[in-house]
């Protein structure tokens, strides 16, 4: 007769299950055969549903930040530093966070709903009966797809943020083109770009694992699937904020 989990520890049970699945995913990633076809299909799906929303959200955030900061720089007589501010905003903070929040909201919800529907239909249980590891077959390709898409989109968004900041600052707020470009390396360089890619990598892994875990632990039929999708997005955003802050603090301490 198994001992019942104490009430005080019950909130930790899902956390333990999540880390157990994450560890299984790491181990399964190095086992053969790898589901390359599934990974490519999932990556293409995430790109289709995430690219346009990510670009639009990023441009909105960038224009808002650049507009406000440029007003302050104009009052201080330092508008020529707007390029450096655009670099900080696009590469170090807004780029990776917005990228992963959008792909988690678009691709992550679809992944959670797909795995949740499979769980409700008992397809996952049938796979286990047949000796097929659901983590290796379903989770690992989806995590890899989210990671690859997150890395590519982050580069696109960072570049697009700088271009959008350039046109907004130069053509709408009167910044000097040469000074805008010259100020970018003063605040942002290769180390900051590497940290930005690391952030996108960590964020993508977290978002993908949370979506997969909630999908595989669905209960309660179709209503449970809908609840799991909503919870996956909320949990992902809640977790990403302290993770982003931690990485930023480590970056400032090291660099």
């Amino acid at each position: 007769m198994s001992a019942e989990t104490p009430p005080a520890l019950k909130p930790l049970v899902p956390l333990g299950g999540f880390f157990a699945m994450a560890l299984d995913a790491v181990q399964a990633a190095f086992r053969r055969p790898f589901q390359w076809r599934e990974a490519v299909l999932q990556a293409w799906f995430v790109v289709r549903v995430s690219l346009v929303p990510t670009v639009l959200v990023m441009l909105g955030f960038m224009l808002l930040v650049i507009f406000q900061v440029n007003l302050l720089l104009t009052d201080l007589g330092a508008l020529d530093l707007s390029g450096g501010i655009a670099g900080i905003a696009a590469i170090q903070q807004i780029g990776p966070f917005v990228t992963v929040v959008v792909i988690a909201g678009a691709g992550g919800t679809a992944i959670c709903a797909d795995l949740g529907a499979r769980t409700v239909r008992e397809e996952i249980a049938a796979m286990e009966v047949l000796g097929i590891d659901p983590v290796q077959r379903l989770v690992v390709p989806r995590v890899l797809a989210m990671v690859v898409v997150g890395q590519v989109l982050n580069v696109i968004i960072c570049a697009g943020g700088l271009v959008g900041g350039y046109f907004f600052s130069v053509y709408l707020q009167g910044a000097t083109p040469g000074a805008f470009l010259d100020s970018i390396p003063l605040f942002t360089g290769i180390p900051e770009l590497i940290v930005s890619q690391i952030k996108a990598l960590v964020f993508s892994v977290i978002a993908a694992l949370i979506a997969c875990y909630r999908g595989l632990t669905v209960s309660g039929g179709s209503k449970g699937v809908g609840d799991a999708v909503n919870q996956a997005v909320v949990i992902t955003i809640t977790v990403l904020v302290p993770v982003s802050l931690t990485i930023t603090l480590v970056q400032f301490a090291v660099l």
Side-chain angles (χ1 to χ4, degrees):
M1 184 175 181
S2 59
E4 186 178 353
T5 304
L9 298 180
K10 283 185 178 180
L12 299 179
V13 173
L15 185 62
F18 171 79
F19 282 110
M21 189 205 72
L23 181 60
D24 290 343
V26 173
Q27 295 173 344
F30 297 96
R31 292 202 303 264
R32 296 295 178 268
F34 187 83
Q35 305 298 323
W36 290 106
R37 178 180 174 81
E38 182 74 12
V40 172
L41 291 175
Q42 291 297 321
W44 174 237
F45 171 77
V46 175
V47 168
R48 287 201 332 263
V49 300
S50 303
L51 180 58
V52 174
T54 303
V55 173
L56 294 178
V57 172
M58 177 61 182
L59 288 177
F61 268 97
M62 278 298 301
L63 294 183
L64 178 62
V65 172
I66 290 298
F67 177 75
Q68 295 292 337
V69 173
N70 281 357
L71 290 179
L72 176 61
L73 292 177
T74 301
D75 293 338
L76 297 175
L79 185 58
D80 290 342
L81 295 177
S82 59
I85 303 301
I88 293 175
I91 296 176
Q92 298 189 39
Q93 300 300 332
I94 297 178
F97 190 81
V98 169
T99 297
V100 179
V101 166
V102 174
I103 66 173
T109 53
I111 289 174
C112 182
D114 176 39
L115 295 182
R118 292 171 184 255
T119 302
V120 170
R121 294 194 302 263
E122 298 185 350
E123 293 181 17
I124 304 299
M127 293 175 63
E128 293 174 342
V129 171
L130 295 174
I132 301 174
D133 184 4
V135 174
Q136 182 183 14
R137 178 65 179 81
L138 300 174
V139 174
V140 173
R142 284 161 172 76
V143 173
L144 178 62
M146 289 277 280
V147 167
V148 172
V149 173
Q151 293 288 289
V152 174
L153 283 183
N154 188 54
V155 173
I156 295 175
I157 294 308
C158 289
L162 290 176
V163 173
Y166 175 86
F167 281 99
F168 191 81
S169 298
V170 172
Y171 294 103
L172 295 182
Q173 293 188 295
T176 305
F180 181 96
L181 297 176
D182 291 340
S183 66
I184 295 178
L186 297 178
F187 298 93
T188 304
I190 299 299
E192 286 74 21
L193 182 59
I194 293 175
V195 172
S196 178
Q197 290 298 101
I198 292 175
K199 279 187 177 182
L201 171 64
V202 174
F203 293 170
S204 299
V205 171
I206 292 174
L209 288 176
I210 290 175
C212 291
Y213 179 74
R214 287 302 296 124
L216 293 176
T217 56
V218 164
S219 61
S222 58
K223 182 180 184 303
V225 175
D227 292 340
V229 169
N230 293 332
Q231 291 170 9
V233 176
V234 173
I235 293 172
T236 299
I237 296 176
T238 303
V239 171
L240 290 185
V241 172
V243 170
S244 176
L245 177 60
T246 301
I247 296 176
T248 301
L249 292 176
V250 172
Q251 174 189 355
F252 287 145
V254 174
L255 300 180

